[in-house]
Amino acid sequence: MLDNIDKQVSSDLHDRWMQRCIDLALKARGQTAPNPMVGSVIVKNGQVIGEGFHPKAGEPHAEIFAIRAAQQTGEDLRDATLYVNLEPCNHHGRTPPCSEAIIQAGIGEVVIGAIDSNPQVSGTGRDRLLAAGVKVTTGVLEQQCLDLNEAFFHRMKTNLPFGIFKYAMTLDGKIATTSGHSYWITGTEARRVVHDLRIGCDAIITGGNTVRLDNPHLNTHGLSSHSPLRVVVSESCDLPNEANLWQITDVEKTLLITLPDRNPQLKQKLRDRKVEILELDDISPEFVMQELGKRGCNTVLWECGGRLGAAAIKAKMVQKIYAFIAPKLIGGFTAPSPIDDLGLTLMTDAFSLVRPQFQQIGTDFLITGYLD
């Protein structure tokens, strides 16, 4: 009986400190690509003696910050426990392997949330620690740790970013009136959630029609100093000379992906404004995502019209849906809907959301889920 109580107390403590690792990791949300988000805590006698998180690629990993802080206390680390939400790396990349740093610090126990799916790690960090005599526990709050870095794991598996398709519609499934007017479908609370969603993304993709009709900013509206790369995909390159996306700052940058030999005059004007122009012979969603994957993007948000959104879904470039629903009715057979033709003729062929969740945000509703 006492053994069971001790195990439960130990499990609860592990959960507590692993949750702290997750909270620390989230401090760098949207800024670590191509790396994952990682936080680490070192605990001795029930007290934190060191903690840290990975701020961005090229900077020290979370474990290193935690070890440095713990060493400054002068404590003997042999009976300390290091918690980390992702398996410590065991290879030389931009930084030395964290597994060796943990061993050199003399830390006696390591608790890991999830094993790293990166082929360069994938269990070798855990095995190196065990070989050095370090006690290792894995799988603590594992699902939460996997969810935290689901985009990173997806890119490790596919070499493509994790795609999120977000849209807002009325209760009768419209994203604008028959005249094209769309401001605002949802309320301020829902729009703030969208701005927060952007913080966790490395790029936002939109289409030329959205630029022409809505003139979006596609930024985080002051919620964070981080702003994802804004990507405009346009086959015709028939775009306005003036648009909010052409306003370039140190943190708000725009990439136009289009076909060669389309509207060279506009392209030059945009280059003069520091807009990056990428000409590809194929600008289908697959090729766009391949390009963003090469740039190290983990998470890409599709904020576009129904035509481009449908193309992305059919190409399996979307893994998750964020559907905001306003309790409003517009009507009109010709009013646009969020997703264009998917080529489906039977209800049994419909795309179903896996692990769907529903919540109310202000006066609006949000349904999220994964495409199988």
Side-chain angles (χ1 to χ4, degrees), residues 31 199 220 222-227 251-252:
Q31 302 176 62
I199 293 174
T220 57
L223 289 185
S224 171
S225 58
H226 162 68
S227 192
V251 295
E252 294 182 7

Side-chain angles (χ1 to χ4, degrees), residues 218-259:
L218 299 184
N219 57 20
T220 57
H221 289 255
L223 289 185
S224 171
S225 58
H226 162 68
S227 192
L229 175 68
R230 304 172 299 187
V231 181
V232 178
V233 179
S234 176
E235 182 176 334
S236 68
C237 203
D238 180 18
L239 299 166
N241 286 317
E242 301 295 331
N244 290 321
L245 295 180
W246 311 152
Q247 307 303 313
I248 305 301
T249 68
D250 289 340
V251 295
E252 294 182 7
K253 301 184 184 302
T254 301
L255 166 66
L256 170 61
I257 300 180
T258 185
L259 298 173

Side-chain angles (χ1 to χ4, degrees), residues 44-238:
K44 181 175 179 178
N45 298 325
Q47 300 295 319
V48 174
I49 60 173
E51 63 180 25
F53 62 92
H54 178 52
K56 64 179 181 179
E59 294 291 323
H61 291 183
E63 301 96 315
I64 305 304
F65 284 111
I67 289 170
R68 288 175 181 173
Q71 287 174 333
Q72 289 180 356
T73 66
E75 293 279 356
D76 186 343
L77 301 184
R78 285 177 294 180
D79 53 351
T81 301
L82 182 144
Y83 291 84
V84 62
N85 60 283
L86 190 63
E87 177 186 9
C89 65
N90 192 49
H91 64 283
H92 283 271
R94 296 186 184 183
T95 58
C98 291
S99 57
E100 295 300 329
I102 292 169
I103 294 167
Q104 291 298 318
I107 293 171
E109 182 178 5
V110 173
V111 178
I112 298 169
I115 297 298
D116 195 341
S117 63
N118 183 344
Q120 291 183 301
V121 185
S122 194
T124 62
R126 172 201 56 202
D127 294 345
R128 177 69 186 99
L129 294 172
L130 288 170
V134 178
K135 180 182 177 182
V136 178
T137 300
T138 60
V140 175
L141 295 188
E142 183 176 26
Q143 190 57 55
Q144 292 93 316
C145 293
L146 291 172
D147 290 345
L148 174 70
N149 281 304
E150 63 183 359
F152 171 78
F153 294 132
H154 177 80
R155 190 173 64 80
M156 287 295 100
K157 181 180 179 180
T158 65
N159 289 321
L160 294 168
F162 182 86
I164 300 173
F165 181 45
K166 163 264 160 187
Y167 58 86
M169 69 179 189
T170 58
L171 195 58
D172 54 343
K174 308 300 182 181
I175 60 172
T177 65
T178 53
S179 68
H181 187 263
S182 61
Y183 290 113
W184 289 101
I185 294 174
T186 55
T188 56
E189 294 94 337
R191 295 201 297 275
R192 186 177 178 87
V193 171
V194 173
H195 301 156
D196 183 73
L197 174 62
R198 292 172 183 169
I199 293 174
C201 297
D202 305 303
I204 302 175
I205 298 176
T206 196
N209 206 40
T210 300
V211 176
R212 288 187 289 268
L213 294 177
D214 295 345
N215 192 22
H217 288 86
L218 299 184
N219 57 20
T220 57
H221 289 255
L223 289 185
S224 171
S225 58
H226 162 68
S227 192
L229 175 68
R230 304 172 299 187
V231 181
V232 178
V233 179
S234 176
E235 182 176 334
S236 68
C237 203
D238 180 18

Side-chain angles (χ1 to χ4, degrees), residues 276-354:
E276 182 183 356
I277 310 294
L278 177 63
E279 296 178 328
L280 298 176
D281 293 326
D282 189 335
I283 60 170
S284 62
E286 301 97 314
F287 279 82
V288 170
M289 290 290 267
Q290 285 175 16
E291 173 62 30
L292 295 178
K294 292 174 185 176
R295 292 172 180 240
C297 292
N298 285 334
T299 307
V300 170
L301 182 62
W302 294 84
E303 282 202 61
C304 53
R307 181 181 176 187
L308 184 55
I313 291 172
K314 287 193 290 185
K316 299 187 183 302
M317 294 298 108
V318 173
Q319 282 66 53
K320 191 171 186 179
I321 299 291
Y322 272 69
F324 292 86
I325 303 170
K328 301 175 181 177
L329 300 174
I330 292 178
F333 284 114
T334 60
S337 61
I339 302 174
D340 209 336
D341 186 14
L342 291 173
L344 306 179
T345 58
L346 299 175
M347 188 59 68
T348 51
D349 294 332
F351 289 85
S352 296
L353 291 188
V354 179

